[in-house]
């Protein structure tokens, strides 16, 4: 059920930061691209699991309802405390890494059939055409670990009042530098 809602935080964060950037007529500090990429990546996780599990109509309706409710609640949280919102997502992603590790164990133990990977997963993660469910779970788990670290990092940056990701760029190089 976690994959049903985890595409929401990146989109919410990207949207809210986009609006603040427009209203403030200033750069967002480089966050939007990261957040929207995370949302897209999590959407692909959901699309992959939908391809594998083939939910029926009432399950799809339940998914849409849960996503809508989570969107509202998470939007409010992000508007009130983006730092807390990113920390919550970091913890959700930590749980995802643990869950996918258990999933791999179940596949390895033979309790879950190691079926052929769906085409959507093979194409998205550039997997070998002969890849299996285990390969997909490994790819998804790696994504979740990255999202965990990124969201904890974003929360830490907000706490330290270092929200511009450009602060860490080498300003003495000949590379283009974006003013923030």
């Amino acid at each position: 059920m976690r994959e049903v809602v985890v595409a929401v935080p990146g989109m919410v964060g990207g949207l809210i930061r986009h609006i603040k950037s427009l209203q403030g007529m200033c750069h967002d500090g480089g966050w939007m691209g990261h957040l929207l990429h995370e949302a897209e990546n999590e959407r692909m996780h959901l699309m992959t699991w939908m391809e594998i599990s083939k939910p029926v109509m009432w399950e799809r309706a339940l998914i849409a309802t849960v996503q809508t409710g989570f969107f509202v609640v998470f939007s409010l949280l992000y508007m009130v405390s983006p730092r807390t919102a990113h920390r919550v997502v970091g913890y959700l992603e930590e749980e995802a890494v643990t869950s996918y590790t258990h999933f791999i164990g179940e596949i390895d133990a033979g309790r879950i059939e190691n079926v052929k990977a769906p085409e959507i997963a093979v194409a998205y993660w550039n997997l070998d055409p002969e890849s299996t469910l285990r390969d997909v779970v490994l790819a998804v788990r790696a994504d979740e670990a990255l999202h965990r670290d990124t969201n904890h990092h974003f929360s830490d940056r907000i706490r330290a009042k270092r929200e511009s990701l450009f602060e860490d760029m080498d300003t003495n190089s000949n590379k283009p530098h974006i003013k923030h």
Side-chain angles (χ1 to χ4, degrees), residues 77-97:
L77 175 61
Y78 203 95
M79 286 187 269
V80 171
S81 178
R83 179 174 66 102
T84 301
H86 283 288
R87 189 66 71 202
V88 166
V89 173
Y91 290 137
L92 287 173
E93 300 294 6
E94 283 183 32
E95 284 301 313
V97 171

Side-chain angles (χ1 to χ4, degrees), residues 131-145:
S131 294
T132 63
L133 177 60
R134 188 180 197 284
D135 300 313
V136 173
V137 176
L138 286 169
V140 171
R141 183 179 66 174
D143 289 345
E144 302 297 14

Side-chain angles (χ1 to χ4, degrees), residues 25-76:
M25 295 178 218
C26 60
H27 202 281
D28 81 311
W31 289 49
M32 278 189 293
H34 290 284
L35 294 170
L36 296 177
H37 178 266
E38 181 178 318
E40 169 66 8
N41 181 257
E42 292 288 5
R43 185 184 71 85
M44 291 306 296
H45 294 178
L46 178 61
M47 301 308 293
T48 298
W49 298 128
M50 294 299 103
E51 184 66 27
I52 290 170
S53 65
K54 308 246 188 271
V56 295
M57 189 57 76
W58 74 267
E59 291 169 320
R60 288 177 180 269
L62 177 62
I63 288 167
T65 302
V66 170
Q67 286 169 336
T68 301
F70 187 75
F71 179 85
V72 171
V73 171
F74 192 80
S75 295
L76 291 171

Side-chain angles (χ1 to χ4, degrees), residues 83 87 153-163:
R83 179 174 66 102
R87 189 66 71 202
H153 177 71
F154 282 172
S155 183
D156 292 343
R157 288 190 78 96
I158 293 169
R159 182 171 173 232
K161 300 190 182 329
R162 295 184 61 238
E163 291 191 51

Side-chain angles (χ1 to χ4, degrees), residues 1-3 5-6 42 45 86-104 137 140-149 151-152:
M1 190 63 133
R2 195 197 70 76
E3 289 294 351
V5 296
V6 291
E42 292 288 5
H45 294 178
H86 283 288
R87 189 66 71 202
V88 166
V89 173
Y91 290 137
L92 287 173
E93 300 294 6
E94 283 183 32
E95 284 301 313
V97 171
T98 300
S99 296
Y100 284 118
T101 299
H102 292 303
F103 195 168
I104 292 166
V137 176
V140 171
R141 183 179 66 174
D143 289 345
E144 302 297 14
L146 178 62
H147 300 161
R148 172 199 62 207
D149 296 344
N151 278 282
H152 284 309

